[in-house]
Amino acid sequence: MGTPDFAVETLDALINAGHQIVGVITMPDKPAGRGQQLRPSPVKIYAQEKGLKILQPEKLKNETFIEELRSLNADIQVVVAFRMLPEVVWSMPKHGTINIHASLLPDYRGAAPINWAIINGEKQTGVTSFLLRHDIDTGDIIFQETADILDSDDAGSIHDKLMHLGAALAVKTVEAIERGSVNFRRQNDIDPDTLKKAPKIFKEDMKINWDRPSSDVINLIRGLSPYPTAWTTLADEKGNDVSAKIFKAQKANTQERLEAGQLKVIDGKHLLIGTSDFPVEICDIQLSGKKRMATNALLCGFHPNESVKCH
């Protein structure tokens, strides 16, 4: 059960390990692009290539879907980046339903664990396999694998690291359950108020607050890059507001201090913006309605108004 590329890797690993996939459940096709034509999920595309049975329920409690799922007679269900399942679904197989989650549970339960781990400046993350229960991401832990978060990492590179780790972990978990050699570890006794959370990210979470320290600003940018992307508003030559997505930034190589949000162009190539401590240099940017590009290329034709602070 899965939808994006992250889940394809696990499906591929299970097949290559010799496991019989009796069915693939993924999201219904959705309109996409300028023509709004229906587009299948990456999991569906892969499953079609492998000739696997595919179910695409609109509602997971639909009686027809439940009967189809039951008829597959699966020993176990593996969930990766899918939807919240009703009990009638996750309790169906005799060996239960396992989930591969992109964090070291119990920390970073929720929809955006990769993003929030980087935004919060973590130096390590990982993947967890666990049994599904009623409350999201709270089931008994089976296995975990760790991964370092380097200063050069962003959400895209950590996604890829954990995609591969998670696929291997799913195979390890399924085979351990098959052998009956699993020691489950409870996580429900932990006070949820003490845990680091990973809620869904909204537009207001993505807006850069230049009053924060430079390290926080850089972590926000790389934690949201390449998607859904941190953003700010700057001014063009005429003082008009222009929305800008920021994909990459680094601490500026300067001793000069700028006020929070103050913008400065150096040598026509470097775009600096002040924070509460040190300026950051914007390296990769996309103005509204334009293509993403390196900042030095942007500055060849775009001249921001340095008298107007970013906001």
Side-chain angles (χ1 to χ4, degrees):
M1 298 183 173
T3 297
D5 289 319
F6 195 95
V8 173
E9 190 78 10
T10 295
L11 179 55
D12 182 64
L14 288 167
I15 290 173
N16 289 334
H19 296 287
Q20 182 188 5
I21 308 300
V22 295
V24 171
I25 293 82
T26 190
M27 292 284 283
D29 297 358
K30 290 194 172 182
R34 291 184 178 180
Q36 290 292 286
Q37 293 183 339
L38 290 177
R39 182 176 296 175
S41 72
V43 164
K44 180 179 178 179
I45 294 171
Y46 177 88
Q48 286 176 321
E49 291 172 355
K50 296 296 183 179
L52 300 173
K53 183 175 179 61
I54 301 167
L55 301 179
Q56 295 179 272
E58 289 280 356
K59 297 181 179 179
L60 295 174
K61 290 184 179 180
N62 178 275
E63 291 184 9
T64 301
F65 165 67
I66 295 299
E67 288 307 311
E68 283 187 289
L69 187 62
R70 187 172 286 115
S71 70
L72 298 177
N73 197 30
D75 294 312
I76 192 168
Q77 293 173 162
V78 181
V79 178
V80 186
F82 192 47
R83 298 153 66 181
M84 192 170 179
L85 302 181
E87 183 174 358
V88 66
V89 172
W90 60 252
S91 65
M92 190 179 294
K94 63 181 178 182
H95 291 295
T97 299
I98 64 166
N99 185 209
I100 305 299
H101 185 73
S103 83
L104 298 174
L105 291 174
D107 280 328
Y108 296 108
R109 295 171 177 168
I114 293 174
N115 307 98
W116 285 111
I118 300 173
I119 290 169
N120 291 340
E122 301 288 356
K123 297 299 182 184
Q124 192 176 70
T125 184
V127 286
T128 302
S129 60
F130 68 98
L131 276 178
L132 283 189
R133 291 289 184 264
H134 282 286
D135 296 325
I136 189 167
D137 298 336
T138 61
D140 294 352
I141 291 172
I142 305 171
F143 294 123
Q144 292 185 313
E145 296 286 348
T146 61
D148 292 334
I149 301 176
L150 308 178
D151 290 342
S152 57
D153 278 321
D154 60 16
S157 62
I158 293 299
H159 169 280
D160 291 349
K161 285 184 187 180
L162 299 189
M163 180 174 67
H164 298 302
L165 268 183
L169 190 68
V171 174
K172 177 181 177 181
T173 302
V174 167
E175 293 178 351
I177 291 173
E178 187 178 24
R179 293 191 304 269
S181 58
V182 175
N183 293 316
F184 298 102
R185 177 162 60 91
R186 291 180 59 83
Q187 58 167 322
N188 291 340
D189 298 331
I190 300 168
D191 181 358
D193 292 333
T194 66
L195 299 177
K196 299 168 184 175
K197 298 176 177 62
K200 185 177 179 179
I201 291 173
F202 296 96
K203 188 173 182 180
E204 57 266 28
D205 301 314
M206 297 151 51
K207 187 174 183 181
I208 299 170
N209 180 358
W210 299 105
D211 290 319
R212 302 288 298 172
S214 56
S215 58
D216 289 357
V217 170
I218 291 170
N219 286 342
L220 178 72
I221 291 168
R222 66 194 190 101
L224 296 173
S225 180
Y227 183 81
T229 322
W231 65 279
T232 190
T233 300
L234 46 80
D236 63 16
E237 288 180 278
K238 297 180 180 179
N240 298 316
D241 281 351
V242 179
S243 178
K245 293 181 177 181
I246 310 296
F247 294 88
K248 185 177 180 181
Q250 62 189 20
K251 187 176 177 181
N253 185 23
T254 179
Q255 298 299 315
E256 183 178 3
R257 296 295 181 96
L258 300 175
E259 293 182 20
Q262 182 183 349
L263 185 150
K264 184 171 185 178
V265 177
I266 298 178
D267 299 330
K269 296 180 180 179
H270 305 281
L271 176 60
L272 275 55
I273 302 178
T275 68
S276 68
D277 50 18
F278 305 102
V280 298
E281 179 176 357
I282 307 305
C283 307
D284 202 341
I285 189 171
Q286 182 178 7
L287 299 185
S288 179
K290 304 294 182 180
K291 292 182 179 180
R292 174 180 173 177
M293 62 182 68
T295 304
N296 58 354
L298 173 81
L299 294 174
C300 292
F302 178 79
H303 306 287
N305 192 322
E306 297 181 50
S307 66
V308 181
K309 287 185 178 181
C310 297
H311 60 90

